[in-house]
Amino acid sequence: MQSQAVLPRNAYYLARFEAEKERFLEEWKTLLRIPSISNNPVYDVDCRRCADWLKTHLEQMGLMAEVVPTVGKPVVFAERAGDPGLPVLLYYGHYDVQPAEPLEEWLSPPFEPTLRDERVYARGALDNKGQTAFFLKAVETVIKAGALGCRLKVVLEGEEESGSAGLAACLVERAWKERLKSDVLLVCDSEGHTIEIPGVTMGLRGIIHLALTLKGPAFDLHSGIHGGAAPNPALGMARLLATLHDADGSIAVKGFCDSLTRPSDEIKRLLMAAPFDEECYIRDFGVSPAGGERRYPVQERLAFRPTIEINGIHSGYDGPGHKTIIPSSARAKITSRIAVGQDPQRSLQSIIDHLRANVPAGLTLEISDEDGSHGALAVDPASPFVKRAARVLQSIYGRDPLYLWCGASIPVVVSLIQAASAEPLLVGFGLPRDRMHGPNESFSMTQFRNGFLFSCLLLEELSKPSA
Amino acid sequence: MQSQAVLPRNAYYLARFEAEKERFLEEWKTLLRIPSISNNPVYDVDCRRCADWLKTHLEQMGLMAEVVPTVGKPVVFAERAGDPGLPVLLYYGHYDVQPAEPLEEWLSPPFEPTLRDERVYARGALDNKGQTAFFLKAVETVIKAGALGCRLKVVLEGEEESGSAGLAACLVERAWKERLKSDVLLVCDSEGHTIEIPGVTMGLRGIIHLALTLKGPAFDLHSGIHGGAAPNPALGMARLLATLHDADGSIAVKGFCDSLTRPSDEIKRLLMAAPFDEECYIRDFGVSPAGGERRYPVQERLAFRPTIEINGIHSGYDGPGHKTIIPSSARAKITSRIAVGQDPQRSLQSIIDHLRANVPAGLTLEISDEDGSHGALAVDPASPFVKRAARVLQSIYGRDPLYLWCGASIPVVVSLIQAASAEPLLVGFGLPRDRMHGPNESFSMTQFRNGFLFSCLLLEELSKPSA
């Protein structure tokens, strides 16, 4: 048997994974059993429990850890000393998850993690408990191997899925900036390209959101007696939302796209190097890529173009048969992804102004839960950390990673980069079929293993004096 | 004390009402306690129970009664012999009610009738159990007074709120046509003008309905990862529904209004004689009459213009906070009121054709629960029965009734008129503030009394040899 020092590092960590994977799985499942849904106060106690569990776990791994109260959900912060001559790595993750609705579509309960065909099904299996779990297990393994030389900081927040208010409030504090100061911020909260082809994420879109209520009659009215007199909020909401886009999918909100910048030719080349497989998309998601601004290629639409999406619309009757009413109100939830160049506050304001200017006659619009604090992120392809991550990925997959632009948002990452004065490094192992945010979210043992190997090897890479 | 024969008939029946009103109220409440909701199979047993209760009640009143099975809910049929020289009166009512949702808006439970300020609150308090109850109590009272001479038939169906399939299937049968044959069809399922001013209903709109499902992705998708590629059914439904009307509220469906006829100048004069009080409307319903086709006066919009109303629209997330999804599907329920001249089947088909032609790219439209079998009704102002009803109303209210056109539909009434070869007589005592179809539906003891008096006096009027 080869000794640890002689065994190639990939093979060594692969062997460690194989030896430990049952325990890794059990710990990951323990984390998944906690319904740490952040957008609903009902689950506050579970969020707190999740933070406490992580603190204890990080301490058992050999880090100094604490649960720090914030104006929102607590933040878990942990660190481990390292060689001052080496880069400081800050890992960011989140322990909160999306709501699990629609519950009836889950094949196994969302908070009873279930292994089927070497794949763990649970809310958060991927986002972000799966990717955080492989990183923590990598840290533990590299420490045990005596190979962790660089200083490590870990910040795990509990509100990524609902606006990151707690952590964001910390990030403006000088003490927090000092505490988080680091050279590179590693975030594993995005997707790779395929199971065979890794990816480094080079950009994220920003996000703004708002909720609408369109009020009409004081109560539901008889649609025969009142039809032709009373304005209908369900119809009015449809008409109002329909004004947001032109017929070709372009956003019709005045001023919204004003400061949007087009990607450079070099970036476009990298973007288009990751092909978009339409047939595969249709097979995986049951729908053709017919959404968005159709005059742009789909890769550009997903990365460098903004969107205004309706996440929910609800009004009136939805039971069996029909009910002849003019509903008294209609509700809608909107999130908009903004691209590089757009200012979140100004973009939000332009949507609000547009909506207010287009309220159908007789109805009253109320806007709530509006937030425009999270801009887009652009990673520099020339960053040395990106290059080192690419080398590590090459050694695991046997091929260079693709550079990916993710249409999603990790709201707090832009602020975190500024607060920590760090260079961003975004490497994710999720895949479309994992159904992040949807029912039956899952993450395979293979993806977990790849993420684990990447984390181990990156930690070693950053621990080399020459690096 | 005056004898019955000497007492003016109004005063006599008023005295009977005062003497009996506690019992009338208890019987009416018993009827209201049965949740005979016809659009949901869960309540089938309650509908059956309601029919049985009515049969027994009609028998106790001295009529021959039976519960007749149909392809849908059972029909209660009752009759009482009369003088062959007198007109045959057929009374039509329905024992089914609308669903009670939204339940949380009721101040007292919808199926626990509650008297507050001389007003009974319950689902069906007015529509149609209240108006049926005063008619039945009137029949009982006139029989007890020995004053019912004309032959009486009563048909009470259990599916008025959900398409009248059972009774409609009966009406094509020769035996049923024979059974229902009558001179005048009395329907008390509409509204009067105000508490002081009675009305005779001269028209009803027809109704067509359909339900839409717009399907997109196979499951809810992450709105960041997929926003710009996946078509959004919530947005698509909004855009699709927004195509149904032009900016001024006119219906934009090709062919829909083709055969619509404008009311004659005489009818328009009668229509406009009932003023529309906009201030009062805003006070009662919390909304200005800004709906419908704004180039027509509101009275005309409510009576002689068609509508396409969205009764419900549902898609995606509706919980606290926000959820970043592209929902997999969207649902909508549509009812359309059609006016005199429009063919229900052709009108329905034109809406279906329009919707199919406007499905947003990438989405799939499924249409279900479509029905276009109920046209509009126009009553002749010269009908002798209308004139006799007007005289009776004058004697109760001390003023002539207004001629009213009701924008609502009583789907089966047109078929019933044909099947029974009867002249229609539509006199209702409901008022806007009774919130028919909405939460906290109610009907006041005063309205019940006026309906009772009208029914008693009309029955006597029709029992006069000279009449």
Side-chain angles (χ1 to χ4, degrees):
Chain A
M1 207 182 188
Q2 287 184 291
S3 82
Q4 175 189 316
V6 177
L7 201 67
R9 304 314 291 158
N10 278 19
Y12 170 74
Y13 286 116
L14 188 57
R16 292 313 315 143
F17 177 80
E18 291 302 332
E20 298 269 45
K21 80 175 181 188
E22 290 307 318
R23 180 173 65 86
F24 291 177
L25 177 62
E26 281 316 306
E27 291 174 7
W28 175 23
K29 282 164 97 172
T30 302
L31 186 57
L32 291 171
R33 277 190 200 102
I34 307 173
S36 47
I37 300 166
S38 61
N39 82 346
N40 188 337
V42 166
Y43 300 97
D44 278 0
V45 65
D46 297 296
C47 290
R48 173 73 210 193
R49 191 153 58 90
C50 197
D52 289 341
W53 187 89
L54 285 162
K55 169 187 181 283
T56 306
H57 195 76
L58 284 155
E59 285 172 343
Q60 286 164 352
M61 285 164 48
L63 279 72
M64 306 262 291
E66 59 181 312
V67 173
V68 189
T70 74
V71 296
K73 307 276 186 289
V75 166
V76 180
F77 181 77
E79 62 182 320
R80 186 176 185 273
D83 184 332
L86 294 172
V88 181
L89 172 68
L90 171 62
Y91 176 84
Y92 162 83
H94 63 91
Y95 64 80
D96 66 316
V97 296
Q98 283 274 317
E101 286 82 6
L103 296 176
E104 66 282 7
E105 291 188 20
W106 286 80
L107 299 176
S108 52
F111 296 105
E112 289 176 24
T114 306
L115 189 71
R116 289 196 298 274
D117 299 331
E118 289 296 294
R119 186 169 270 279
V120 173
Y121 288 85
R123 169 55 82 232
L126 163 62
D127 179 17
N128 181 239
K129 289 177 176 174
Q131 305 216 68
T132 291
F134 72 61
F135 180 76
L136 297 184
K137 293 302 97 185
V139 169
E140 182 189 80
T141 306
V142 179
I143 291 173
K144 279 189 189 165
L148 186 59
C150 67
R151 186 168 173 189
L152 175 67
K153 300 180 180 187
V154 175
V155 62
L156 302 173
E157 69 148 325
E159 290 166 295
E160 194 275 338
E161 303 293 4
S162 57
S164 300
L167 180 55
C170 298
L171 295 182
V172 300
E173 291 179 25
R174 184 188 298 267
W176 265 99
K177 286 183 185 172
E178 195 52 44
R179 169 184 263 178
L180 294 171
K181 199 165 164 41
S182 46
D183 297 292
V184 56
L185 170 70
L186 175 64
V187 182
C188 300
D189 197 20
S190 53
E191 297 191 341
H193 184 66
T194 64
I195 195 76
E196 294 92 11
I197 307 174
V200 179
T201 299
M202 304 307 291
L204 295 167
R205 288 191 285 194
I207 184 167
I208 61 189
H209 60 81
L210 64 165
L212 316 182
T213 303
L214 204 49
K215 296 197 166 176
F219 43 89
D220 292 352
L221 298 180
H222 189 293
S223 66
I225 310 248
H226 292 275
N232 183 324
L235 181 63
M237 183 63 89
R239 295 187 65 83
L240 178 58
L241 298 178
T243 65
L244 292 167
H245 300 82
D246 290 327
D248 71 345
S250 302
I251 291 170
V253 175
K254 201 179 146 202
F256 181 78
C257 296
D258 280 358
S259 53
L260 197 59
T261 52
R262 298 289 308 270
S264 70
D265 288 348
E266 164 65 5
I267 296 283
K268 252 199 215 168
R269 196 187 54 75
L270 291 172
L271 176 70
M272 299 305 282
F276 183 86
D277 185 338
E278 181 160 338
E279 255 179 59
C280 171
Y281 194 85
I282 293 171
R283 196 179 56 239
D284 285 352
F285 305 115
V287 80
S288 68
E293 298 180 295
R294 288 187 285 282
R295 62 205 159 105
Y296 297 94
V298 66
Q299 289 100 319
E300 192 170 346
R301 267 145 56 193
L302 285 166
F304 289 96
R305 300 300 309 173
T307 67
I308 301 180
E309 295 289 358
I310 314 306
N311 308 118
I313 177 168
H314 290 269
S315 176
Y317 188 66
D318 192 32
H322 57 282
K323 189 179 181 199
T324 50
I325 52 164
I326 294 176
S328 66
S329 68
R331 301 175 299 283
K333 289 184 188 275
I334 294 178
T335 49
S336 161
R337 303 287 165 166
I338 53 172
V340 178
Q342 285 181 288
D343 175 73
Q345 266 304 333
R346 277 173 47 208
S347 301
L348 174 65
Q349 194 56 50
S350 68
I351 294 177
I352 291 173
D353 292 346
H354 174 95
L355 291 168
R356 292 214 186 281
N358 285 280
V359 176
L363 302 173
T364 311
L365 177 65
E366 290 179 6
I367 294 177
S368 60
D369 192 33
E370 66 271 38
D371 182 70
S373 53
H374 304 294
L377 170 73
V379 178
D380 181 0
S383 153
F385 295 108
V386 169
K387 290 184 191 299
R388 286 158 90 171
R391 278 203 301 277
V392 167
L393 290 168
Q394 203 284 338
S395 78
I396 298 167
Y397 288 81
R399 59 160 294 162
D400 287 329
L402 288 171
Y403 291 97
L404 307 176
W405 278 262
C406 177
S409 318
I410 311 175
V412 84
V413 164
V414 177
S415 319
L416 200 52
I417 288 165
Q418 289 165 348
S421 313
E423 281 193 50
L425 176 58
L426 283 62
V427 182
F429 296 85
L431 289 172
R433 71 147 291 183
D434 303 337
R435 302 191 178 184
M436 172 152 62
H437 287 207
N440 303 305
E441 177 179 351
S442 68
F443 196 46
S444 73
M445 291 308 291
T446 303
Q447 289 161 286
F448 189 99
R449 185 201 64 204
N450 290 345
F452 169 82
L453 291 177
F454 166 76
S455 305
C456 291
L457 295 168
L458 183 75
L459 287 165
E460 277 214 359
E461 177 77 19
L462 296 176
S463 299
K464 285 180 193 161
S466 59
Chain B
M1 204 179 185
Q2 286 186 291
S3 84
Q4 175 190 318
V6 177
L7 202 64
R9 304 314 292 160
N10 279 21
Y12 171 73
Y13 287 116
L14 188 58
R16 292 313 315 142
F17 176 80
E18 291 302 333
E20 298 268 44
K21 80 175 183 189
E22 289 307 319
R23 181 174 65 85
F24 290 177
L25 176 62
E26 281 317 306
E27 290 174 6
W28 175 24
K29 282 164 98 172
T30 302
L31 187 57
L32 290 170
R33 278 190 200 101
I34 307 173
S36 46
I37 299 165
S38 61
N39 81 346
N40 187 339
V42 165
Y43 299 97
D44 277 359
V45 65
D46 297 296
C47 290
R48 172 74 210 194
R49 191 152 58 90
C50 197
D52 288 342
W53 186 89
L54 285 163
K55 169 187 180 282
T56 305
H57 195 75
L58 284 155
E59 284 172 344
Q60 286 166 352
M61 285 164 50
L63 278 72
M64 306 262 290
E66 59 182 310
V67 173
V68 189
T70 73
V71 296
K73 307 274 187 289
V75 166
V76 180
F77 181 76
E79 62 183 321
R80 185 175 186 275
D83 184 332
L86 294 172
V88 181
L89 173 68
L90 171 62
Y91 175 85
Y92 162 83
H94 62 91
Y95 65 80
D96 65 318
V97 295
Q98 282 274 316
E101 285 82 5
L103 295 177
E104 67 279 8
E105 292 187 21
W106 285 80
L107 298 178
S108 52
F111 297 105
E112 288 177 25
T114 305
L115 189 71
R116 289 197 296 276
D117 299 331
E118 288 297 293
R119 184 169 272 278
V120 173
Y121 288 85
R123 168 56 81 233
L126 164 61
D127 180 16
N128 180 241
K129 289 176 175 174
Q131 304 217 64
T132 291
F134 71 58
F135 180 76
L136 297 184
K137 293 301 97 184
V139 169
E140 183 189 81
T141 305
V142 180
I143 291 173
K144 279 188 190 167
L148 185 60
C150 66
R151 184 169 174 189
L152 175 67
K153 301 181 179 186
V154 174
V155 62
L156 303 172
E157 68 148 326
E159 290 165 294
E160 194 274 338
E161 303 293 3
S162 57
S164 301
L167 180 55
C170 298
L171 296 182
V172 300
E173 290 178 26
R174 185 189 297 266
W176 265 99
K177 285 182 186 172
E178 194 52 45
R179 171 185 262 177
L180 294 171
K181 199 165 164 42
S182 46
D183 297 291
V184 56
L185 170 69
L186 175 64
V187 181
C188 300
D189 197 19
S190 52
E191 296 190 340
H193 184 66
T194 64
I195 195 75
E196 294 91 13
I197 307 174
V200 179
T201 299
M202 303 308 290
L204 295 167
R205 287 191 286 194
I207 185 167
I208 61 189
H209 61 80
L210 64 166
L212 315 183
T213 304
L214 205 49
K215 295 196 165 174
F219 41 90
D220 291 353
L221 298 180
H222 188 294
S223 66
I225 311 250
H226 292 275
N232 183 325
L235 181 62
M237 183 62 89
R239 294 187 66 81
L240 179 58
L241 298 177
T243 64
L244 292 167
H245 300 82
D246 290 328
D248 71 346
S250 302
I251 291 170
V253 174
K254 202 180 145 199
F256 181 77
C257 295
D258 280 358
S259 53
L260 198 59
T261 51
R262 298 289 307 271
S264 70
D265 288 347
E266 164 64 7
I267 296 285
K268 254 200 215 168
R269 195 187 55 73
L270 290 172
L271 176 70
M272 301 304 282
F276 183 87
D277 184 338
E278 182 161 336
E279 255 180 61
C280 171
Y281 194 86
I282 294 171
R283 195 178 58 237
D284 285 352
F285 306 115
V287 80
S288 68
E293 299 181 294
R294 288 186 284 281
R295 62 204 158 106
Y296 296 94
V298 66
Q299 290 100 318
E300 193 171 344
R301 267 145 56 195
L302 284 167
F304 288 96
R305 299 300 309 172
T307 67
I308 301 180
E309 294 290 357
I310 314 306
N311 309 117
I313 177 169
H314 290 270
S315 177
Y317 187 66
D318 193 33
H322 58 284
K323 190 179 181 200
T324 50
I325 53 164
I326 295 176
S328 66
S329 68
R331 300 174 299 285
K333 289 185 189 274
I334 295 178
T335 49
S336 161
R337 303 288 164 165
I338 53 174
V340 178
Q342 285 182 289
D343 175 74
Q345 266 305 334
R346 278 172 46 206
S347 301
L348 174 64
Q349 194 57 49
S350 68
I351 294 177
I352 290 173
D353 292 346
H354 174 95
L355 291 169
R356 292 214 185 281
N358 285 281
V359 176
L363 302 173
T364 310
L365 177 65
E366 290 178 6
I367 294 177
S368 61
D369 192 32
E370 67 270 37
D371 183 71
S373 52
H374 304 294
L377 171 73
V379 179
D380 181 1
S383 154
F385 295 108
V386 169
K387 290 184 189 300
R388 287 157 88 173
R391 277 204 302 276
V392 167
L393 289 169
Q394 203 284 339
S395 79
I396 298 166
Y397 288 81
R399 57 161 295 163
D400 286 329
L402 288 171
Y403 291 97
L404 307 175
W405 278 262
C406 175
S409 317
I410 311 174
V412 84
V413 163
V414 177
S415 319
L416 200 52
I417 288 164
Q418 289 165 349
S421 314
E423 279 193 53
L425 176 59
L426 282 63
V427 182
F429 296 85
L431 288 172
R433 71 147 291 184
D434 303 337
R435 303 193 179 185
M436 171 151 60
H437 287 208
N440 303 306
E441 177 179 348
S442 68
F443 196 48
S444 73
M445 292 307 292
T446 303
Q447 288 161 287
F448 189 98
R449 184 200 64 204
N450 289 345
F452 169 83
L453 291 177
F454 166 75
S455 305
C456 291
L457 296 169
L458 183 74
L459 287 165
E460 277 213 0
E461 177 79 19
L462 296 176
S463 299
K464 285 181 192 159
S466 59

